[in-house]
Structure formats: structure tokens, C-alpha cells
Amino acid sequence: MGNILGFPRIGKNRELKKALESFWSEKCSQQELESVAKSLRIKHWELQKNLDFVCVNDFSYYDNVLDIAYMLNAKPQRFKHLSGLEGYFAMARGHESGVACEMTKWFNTNYHYVVPELSIDDNYKANIEYIKLQYEEAKELGYKPKICLVGLFTLFGLSKIIKGDSHDIFNKLKIAYLDLVKQIACLDSEVIIEFSEPIFVYGLKHRIFTSCCIYTESNIKNIYDEISKIGIRTIVSTFFEHSNELTEILLQTDIHGIGLDFIAGENNKHILHSFSKSDKLLYAGVIDGRNIWVANLESKLELLNNIATFVPKERIVVSSSCSLLHVPFSKEGENKLDPEICSWLSFAQEKIEEIEILETLFRGKASEKTNAYFDANKQINSNRKKSNKTNNKEIRDRVASHTLSQREAAFEDRIKIQKEQFNLPLLPTTTIGSFPQTPEIRSLRLKYKKGEIPQDVYENGIKEYIQDCVRFQEEAGLDVLVHGEPERNDMVEYFGEQLDGFVFSKNAWVQSYGSRCVKPPIIFGDIQRPRPMTIKWITYAQSLTKKVIKGMLTGPVTILNWSFVRDDLERKDVCRQIALCIGDEISDLQDAGIKIIQVDEAAFKEGYPLREENVKIYETWALDCFRISSATALPKTQIHTHMCYSEFNDIIKTIEALDADVISIETARSGNELLKVFKQVGYTHEVGPGVYDIHSPRIPSVDELQSQIKALLEVLPKDQLWINPDCGLKTRKWEEVKPSLINIVKAVESIRQTLQ
């Protein structure tokens, strides 16, 4: 028995990814796509059969927030005429009718959700066909389903108001949402819905709650009381932090149960005394849904018994801390990992087993098999703690004694040297780093990795790609070039493979968005750089052109935030180890003649704590780590950085403190709104706002790009602006990339003429 909040949907072997991309390229039919989806759901439910329920509606073709918006007919005006999967994917990926909806990070994870657009002109209407289909599938197979649904308050809080008063829009949305729940309740007499309300972990002092009359105690209580009266078994779950203030409100409602995260939200223990006055079930999230380390069942059992001093055992359900969407599918087949390190890992399938075993132990129903599992688990955790693979004294000593923590010259002095050195035109154009990863280049890397081709064949293939890449950029007229990164599989994995302290799985894929999957590195021990990581290919590219080639590195905070990080050492200490490695690489690159180096911090924002009281602690060490990594850069070396999907209003001062010479940001889907904060604070460093949405297959026209650039010039001075795509181009196709970049250069050249 036990509970999870959701299961990975991409498939053990990324079956959904392959089916989606085949469907989008018109190589398979909708019926074939739906057949793959159904087969995956059946497989996933089979793994959950011993839990209290199997999860229904956690499966999605793209994203659960998009799903609920689409179910409520919350479609932007530009897509109103579209229906079915065409309309659904238009919102996610764009369409000839218009650009896609914005996409941003799901709280502080590396998963992306599609941002719903809400307007007072919308006519919201519930459609439960997709839920009904899955619910009936599960029932027919003999499973007891639990419907997973994004909560109304989280849905609204994560949406973008396009037109109208937020209170009026909320009331319209609420009517449709409650109708959706009523229709679900008609499916049968035993419907269970688990509402995910992670927005509640922000706490009542967060601006979402203080700036909007929707998030009031009475409103939250009234709506969940109304939902409970519909006649369903209602569970409300929060995760990624503690939610004590809002949990107190939920305890006053008529809902059946509350889910709390005791991994990221350790302080949830402070609300337990209030459960003693309630009859509600507590879904205790004690198995980590976001990291991949084997649970210490002995300590988990102790935690559950401590919880049981406040809440009767019969009202406690052992649960994952959040959806298992954030971890890989299974350890099965990971035969290339060091067996000892592999024994320390637990993915989604293994976590379900941990929940089942822990639930059995907690109930005092241990069998010989359960006891054997428990004893083996104790031994695994003991071995990991004692292993000499996790601790390197030399690395620890270097971190402890390191003192160089910022660049020697101020930005005002550096920028003068750099402008004179580069002599770039107004609105210099560049890209973020990567170029399309073609099937041919992927095959080349794979064959080399498997030993099927010799090193010289591999290197000649990489050189040919770099030559083509540099030649195209010169012909297109870009000002600062990149080498295209054909040798790199992933912006974090590539570096992790060359650093001590990392290991890599064979098939531990995690969904990032839609069909985009990543295979995060696993940090198991202390980290050091045995040798230079990027110089060979960057310097080769520079030898092909007189234009400046930009060196491309991934920043320490992003490497940390996009990895599965060891849980036996503080994150800040792990990050400092990485920072020293990146600093060493910068030093080597500039010694080799590379004049511009980009240190990507795409995931800097997503590492932020969700509770405001913890923000300063994170900012302090994250800033420190970035500045340690760039401190080796000489004044003449221009340091760029890049950030994805960030709301900058609340962190603009921190961005300024990074002290990067140029920052590029994603703004193509949001116009110049994100940029306004840079003007408001008097930001002095240079900025490259994205004008080309690389997450969509659309090719922007010259006129469209000119309009975007003109909008940017209304916010920041021309001398401060760079022009570039939103992000790296590895996921796009050359037939999309080439005309898009050519159009960017044409648009910039036209604007330059008017400025000059």
C-alpha cells in the first residue's frame, strides 16, 4: 500500500518522446500516438498496483498545466479556431496562427510548464473526455484510480492575465473548474481526486497572496468545502517546501486528506500538532520524489513514528514527497554504472517498492522478505557512508583555502578595454551556443562512444561540422560566432563526464518539457577537473575565422541544479567544488587566445528557495560560486552568461551582482516586459534579449524581428543591447535555424541604418 503523486510518463525507453516527434513530423497518425500513450499508461499502472491507488491524469502528451487549461477551454484568442490535438500542441509549440504560450519552470524544478493565458473575454467550459478515457481504462483493468488534478489556486497563480480584472477572471474560471469536478464526480460513486496545490508552499506573506484578494483564508476554505460537497474523496497535496500557514486553513475544511512534503519541507513537522485535532488523513511525503538516492528506511521509519506521536497511525499514509515525474523510470538495465554506486540509487520504480516496504514496516506487518529488504537497505546506506569514493581530502582542502572570489577590475573599466578590443557594431549579433544536433552528428558520437569508429574518423566528423557551422555564421553575417557544440551531448552532461565525482546512467532520462528529455549527471563524490575540457574544439573553431569565437561553458550553479546532487554534503559546498573547476577552464581558455567566454547559468533562478525567508542564504552562496568561477577572467576577457525562463523582477539586484559583462535572457514569447526591470533599476551591464523563440518550429519574419528589436530599444539604450535567439539551437532543425538567423541579421542591419 502507500501513495505517489504521479509517475514519469515519457516511458522506460522514451517511447512517448519518439511517438510525439514522429507525430509532429507527420510520420505517424494520431491513432498510433494514442496507442503508444495507452500502452504506457497500462505499464505504469501495473507498477502501481500494490499502492492504494493508481494515478490517472498524471499522464500528459506535453504538460499537466496545459492539460487542465485546455480542459477548461482556456485557449488564447489566436488559437480559438483550432481544436483537438492541433489546438493543444499549438499552445505548446506555436502554429502558423501565432506564437506558442510562454513556458517556464515548475517552481524550483527543471520541469517546464506551459503558462496558460487568461482573459475576461474567454468562455471557460469544462471537458472531461481525456480524464474519462483514462479513468475508464484503469477501471476496466481492475485498478482503483485516483485522479491527479492541478489545483484551482495553483492553476490561476501560474497563469498570465491577458485582459481584465483578475478577480472577475478567477470567478469565471472557478465556475468551469467546479463544473469539471462535478462531471468527474459522475464517473462513479467512489471518485478520488488529489489536487496538487504547490503554490500554497509560498506562504501567506508571499506577493501572490498579499497582492491578490483571491488567495484569502475564506476563499480557500469555501472553495475546498464546495469541492468536498460535490461528493468526492478530496485530497489536497502541497510539495517542494512546507505549507504550514495554508495547511492550517485546509485543516478547517471538509476535505478528506492532506499531502505534505517532509523532504523539502522538513518544517511541515511544526503543523503536526494541529492534525491531532482533526480527522483528516495525512499523506506523509517521506520518500524523495526529486532525487535518486536510495532511502534510508531506518531513518524514514523513525520519522514516521515521530509523526505518529501527533497523528494516529491509522490516519497516516506513506507517500512520495511529490510526483515521481522528476526522477528516471527504473534502474533496470543500468549495467554500465559502478555496481557499488548503482546500489546507492533509487528511481521511480524502486521508490514505489520503498514506499510499499516502508508502509508494511510502519504497520508492523513485516515478513521475512520485508525484513531481508530492510537489512539490505541498512547495509547499502552504511557502505555508502564509509566508501572512499565519496571523499577526497585534497579537494576539500583546496575549497577551504581558496580566496579569489571576484574579478580584479570593475565593469566600467573592463567594458572600455573590451569595446576597444572587439570594435563590434551597434546591436552585435550572436547565438547562445549550440547549433542543431543532426541525426548524423548524434550517430557519429554514439558510434565513437561504442568503439565502432576510430578517433580520427570521429574527430574529422566533428571538424567538418564546426567548419560548416562557422562558414554559415560568417555568410549569415553574425558578429560573434560559436563552434556549434557538435561534440556535446548535453550542456551539463558533457562537463560532468570530464569531472571526477560524477557518474552517468545509461537510460535515466527525465522529462524537461514535451518530448525534451535530459539525462542528469549524478554527483556522488568530491569534484575536480583532471584536464582541460573545451579548449581543443574552441581553439580549432577560432583558427577558422578572424571573427571572435565565443568559448562555451556551463556555470557551476546550473551544473549543480541540473544534476542529481549527493545528499551527504551541503549543496553550497558541492557547488564551490564545481566553481573552482570552471575557473580553471576559463583561465586555460583565455591563455589559449579565447577572448569571449560564456558561462551559462540557465538554471540559476530555478534553484531559488520557494520560501522568502530562505532566499538570502541561497543567493549568497550561488553568487559566490559564479563569481569564483569567473574571478580568473582578465579584464580584456568578456564574460557572458545566459539565463532561461526567469522572472527577473525579484532577482535583478542579484543578476547585477553576478558581474557578468553581458547577460542574454529569454524574452521572445514575452516581448519587452521582462526587460523593463533592467531599465527600472538602472542596469549598466550589457543585455542580449532573445528575439527568436527556439522552442517553436516557427521561422520569424524580418518584419516581426524588426518590431521586436524596436520594442527592445524603447526600454534599453542601443549601446547596451545585443541581439540573439532565446536559447541554444540544438533542438531545432537546420532548415528552421538558417532562415531564422539570416532574418535576425537582416532585421538588425535595417535597424542599424535607422540608428546611424
Side-chain angles (χ1 to χ4, degrees):
M1 306 297 278
N3 180 67
I4 61 171
L5 280 72
F7 194 80
R9 60 231 185 184
I10 208 70
K12 185 176 181 180
N13 297 302
R14 293 181 292 163
E15 294 93 331
L16 182 60
K17 169 189 172 65
K18 295 164 188 173
L20 282 169
E21 292 174 355
S22 181
F23 175 72
W24 292 335
S25 60
E26 300 182 348
K27 293 177 182 176
C28 84
S29 66
Q30 180 171 333
Q31 185 178 6
E32 289 171 307
L33 173 63
E34 290 171 347
S35 176
V36 171
K38 182 176 180 179
S39 68
L40 287 173
R41 289 194 292 268
I42 292 171
K43 291 175 185 176
H44 301 167
W45 288 334
E46 178 64 18
L47 293 172
Q48 301 170 48
K49 65 183 180 182
N50 293 327
L51 298 174
D52 290 344
F53 328 103
V54 299
C55 294
V56 165
N57 197 48
D58 62 329
F59 188 90
S60 173
Y61 284 115
Y62 206 94
D63 164 52
N64 287 127
V65 179
L66 173 62
D67 292 351
I68 186 69
Y70 205 68
M71 287 176 200
L72 297 173
N73 197 38
K75 292 195 290 186
Q77 187 62 41
R78 58 193 179 278
F79 302 133
K80 291 288 188 188
H81 64 292
L82 302 175
S83 60
L85 282 183
E86 183 182 17
Y88 176 85
F89 287 129
M91 290 174 66
R93 305 181 71 241
H95 189 270
E96 61 185 15
S97 304
V99 298
C101 297
E102 288 183 49
M103 194 161 56
T104 193
K105 295 296 176 71
W106 174 248
F107 295 87
N108 57 357
T109 74
N110 190 31
Y111 175 76
H112 307 66
Y113 73 93
V114 176
V115 180
E117 297 177 14
L118 306 179
S119 169
I120 195 64
D121 296 333
D122 290 334
N123 293 312
Y124 303 120
K125 184 179 180 181
N127 183 337
I128 71 158
E129 289 307 307
Y130 186 62
I131 293 176
K132 182 180 179 182
L133 170 73
Q134 295 184 50
Y135 192 84
E136 290 178 348
E137 282 176 356
K139 293 281 282 189
E140 286 172 8
L141 292 167
Y143 298 121
K144 186 176 182 181
K146 173 192 69 175
I147 295 169
C148 302
L149 211 59
V150 175
L152 174 61
F153 292 98
T154 294
L155 170 64
F156 186 79
L158 298 182
S159 297
K160 182 178 182 179
I161 303 298
I162 300 300
K163 178 184 176 184
D165 176 75
S166 60
H167 187 268
D168 294 339
I169 294 171
F170 178 81
N171 285 334
K172 287 185 72 173
L173 187 70
K174 177 184 73 173
I175 292 168
Y177 190 94
L178 291 176
D179 184 47
L180 182 80
V181 176
K182 289 172 185 174
Q183 290 185 44
I184 292 172
C186 294
L187 292 175
D188 68 35
S189 60
E190 298 180 339
V191 171
I192 302 158
I193 303 180
E194 183 162 29
F195 298 88
S196 289
E197 291 283 18
I199 207 161
F200 285 175
V201 305
Y202 282 137
L204 293 170
K205 293 181 180 179
H206 192 274
R207 66 178 183 278
I208 284 179
F209 292 86
T210 57
S211 65
C212 185
C213 60
I214 290 155
Y215 295 92
T216 63
E217 180 175 347
S218 60
N219 206 25
I220 292 167
K221 184 179 186 308
N222 291 341
I223 286 175
Y224 272 108
D225 280 343
E226 190 170 349
I227 287 173
S228 299
K229 287 173 185 172
I230 291 171
I232 57 172
R233 187 173 172 183
T234 305
I235 306 164
V236 179
S237 289
T238 67
F239 37 87
F240 303 148
E241 246 293 359
H242 83 78
S243 55
N244 290 341
E245 305 93 328
L246 279 298
T247 302
E248 195 70 64
I249 296 170
L250 291 172
L251 284 166
Q252 309 309 313
T253 67
D254 296 329
I255 64 175
H256 184 74
I258 298 174
L260 299 178
D261 180 347
F262 288 93
I263 304 298
E266 185 182 355
N267 284 338
N268 274 316
K269 62 188 178 186
H270 298 311
I271 199 68
L272 291 174
H273 62 90
S274 295
F275 272 85
S276 61
K277 309 165 192 172
S278 162
D279 61 351
K280 292 177 177 36
L281 290 185
L282 169 61
Y283 289 81
V286 297
I287 295 297
D288 194 344
R290 284 184 62 175
N291 214 335
I292 44 77
W293 303 106
V294 66
N296 185 324
L297 295 183
E298 189 173 28
S299 67
K300 300 297 181 186
L301 194 56
E302 183 180 350
L303 172 58
L304 285 167
N305 286 325
N306 287 337
I307 293 171
T309 62
F310 297 94
V311 186
K313 269 192 176 186
E314 62 270 18
R315 289 203 281 114
I316 299 172
V317 181
V318 177
S319 178
S320 62
S321 62
C322 61
S323 172
L324 301 182
L325 169 72
H326 307 287
V327 296
F329 189 98
S330 170
K331 285 202 309 184
E332 290 178 2
E334 293 294 347
N335 50 16
K336 291 189 177 181
L337 277 174
D338 178 311
E340 182 182 13
I341 295 173
C342 191
S343 73
W344 303 341
L345 307 179
S346 175
F347 298 165
Q349 187 172 329
E350 291 78 30
K351 286 180 185 294
I352 288 177
E353 188 174 17
E354 289 177 344
I355 289 169
E356 293 170 0
I357 295 291
L358 195 54
E359 175 77 18
T360 303
L361 292 167
F362 182 53
R363 302 295 168 204
K365 298 178 180 179
S367 63
E368 186 176 336
K369 179 182 176 182
T370 307
N371 286 332
Y373 188 102
F374 183 71
D375 290 341
N377 177 269
K378 283 177 67 175
Q379 190 61 53
I380 288 168
N381 279 285
S382 175
N383 292 345
R384 182 184 172 206
K385 190 174 182 179
K386 297 174 184 175
S387 176
N388 58 13
K389 294 177 180 176
T390 62
N391 194 330
N392 185 311
K393 186 177 184 302
E394 185 178 327
I395 296 172
R396 301 275 180 110
D397 289 345
R398 186 189 179 198
V399 170
S401 62
H402 184 79
T403 57
L404 184 61
S405 59
Q406 63 183 28
R407 298 181 72 177
E408 64 181 49
F411 171 74
E412 294 78 12
D413 299 323
R414 301 194 307 262
I415 200 65
K416 291 176 185 175
I417 298 169
Q418 293 163 13
K419 283 186 178 294
E420 183 177 340
Q421 174 181 223
F422 299 128
N423 193 30
L424 294 169
L426 279 174
L427 308 179
T429 55
T430 188
T431 65
I432 303 304
S434 59
F435 270 73
Q437 293 267 314
T438 63
E440 293 79 14
I441 206 70
R442 291 180 187 275
S443 175
L444 181 74
R445 283 202 314 265
L446 183 61
K447 287 179 180 178
Y448 178 61
K449 199 170 186 177
K450 288 182 174 179
E452 295 175 3
I453 57 174
Q455 184 173 344
D456 63 329
V457 172
Y458 166 73
E459 292 191 350
N460 287 336
I462 296 295
K463 285 180 177 179
E464 286 177 16
Y465 184 100
I466 293 174
Q467 290 166 9
D468 292 343
C469 194
V470 171
R471 187 182 306 116
F472 162 69
Q473 291 173 88
E474 287 189 316
E475 291 171 354
L478 289 162
D479 298 307
V480 173
L481 315 186
V482 297
H483 78 294
E485 305 177 17
E487 79 285 8
R488 304 185 190 184
N489 41 18
D490 174 82
M491 65 181 289
V492 174
E493 184 174 354
Y494 176 76
F495 291 95
E497 285 177 338
Q498 300 182 78
L499 295 169
D500 292 341
F502 285 78
V503 290
F504 291 85
S505 59
K506 178 182 176 182
N507 201 36
W509 296 97
V510 178
Q511 186 180 21
S512 181
Y513 62 85
S515 68
R516 168 75 170 142
C517 299
V518 294
K519 189 152 57 73
I522 297 167
I523 301 176
F524 71 92
D526 290 329
I527 301 163
Q528 66 179 351
R529 186 193 73 142
R531 63 192 67 85
M533 301 180 285
T534 64
I535 288 176
K536 180 176 184 176
W537 299 119
I538 301 291
T539 53
Y540 173 71
Q542 186 62 79
S543 73
L544 301 174
T545 179
K546 292 181 180 179
K547 288 192 172 184
V548 177
I549 291 285
K550 187 166 51 169
M552 301 302 305
L553 305 176
T554 303
V557 182
T558 294
I559 290 177
L560 183 88
N561 286 336
W562 282 357
S563 297
F564 289 122
V565 183
R566 61 191 299 183
D567 59 356
D568 59 344
L569 187 66
E570 287 195 51
R571 290 176 69 87
K572 65 178 182 180
D573 295 324
V574 178
C575 198
R576 283 177 70 88
Q577 293 178 2
I578 303 170
L580 291 178
C581 298
I582 301 302
D584 292 342
E585 190 72 12
I586 289 175
S587 182
D588 285 342
L589 279 169
Q590 64 188 1
D591 288 347
I594 303 302
K595 298 179 176 66
I596 297 180
I597 302 171
Q598 184 167 305
V599 184
D600 278 337
E601 283 295 10
F604 190 91
K605 178 68 187 293
E606 76 188 46
Y608 266 68
L610 301 177
R611 304 286 302 195
E612 290 184 3
E613 60 266 28
N614 299 324
V615 164
K616 194 64 181 174
I617 297 170
Y618 170 79
E619 282 187 332
T620 299
W621 65 255
L623 269 174
D624 183 48
C625 289
F626 181 86
R627 290 191 296 219
I628 286 172
S629 70
S630 60
T632 58
L634 300 170
K636 66 179 182 179
T637 301
Q638 189 171 80
I639 296 294
H640 289 223
T641 191
H642 172 70
M643 288 188 176
C644 298
Y645 304 110
S646 293
E647 293 291 342
F648 295 121
N649 297 55
D650 53 345
I651 68 164
I652 187 64
K653 289 295 183 184
T654 308
I655 290 173
E656 206 165 25
L658 288 172
D659 199 28
D661 299 310
V662 183
I663 179 173
S664 55
I665 57 176
E666 295 198 21
T667 57
R669 293 190 182 187
S670 56
N672 63 4
E673 286 302 310
L674 282 180
L675 207 57
K676 289 179 180 178
V677 68
F678 287 82
K679 180 178 181 179
Q680 291 165 5
V681 301
Y683 189 81
T684 57
H685 295 37
E686 298 188 356
V687 185
V691 296
Y692 161 32
D693 176 15
I694 66 88
H695 300 291
S696 169
R698 287 183 71 252
I699 298 169
S701 68
V702 174
D703 289 344
E704 180 183 333
L705 291 162
Q706 284 178 333
S707 297
Q708 286 206 55
I709 295 167
K710 288 175 182 177
L712 300 177
L713 286 165
E714 292 175 3
V715 182
L716 287 179
K718 59 182 183 293
D719 293 332
Q720 204 172 345
L721 284 171
W722 288 62
I723 305 299
N724 45 256
D726 255 352
C727 199
L729 301 166
K730 66 181 291 184
T731 60
R732 300 266 54 92
K733 297 176 181 178
W734 275 111
E735 54 264 35
E736 300 161 3
V737 165
K738 286 186 176 182
S740 297
L741 292 181
I742 289 169
N743 286 352
I744 285 177
V745 173
K746 287 180 179 178
V748 168
E749 287 175 344
S750 175
I751 298 287
R752 280 175 186 160
Q753 290 177 8
T754 64
L755 293 175
Q756 291 169 346

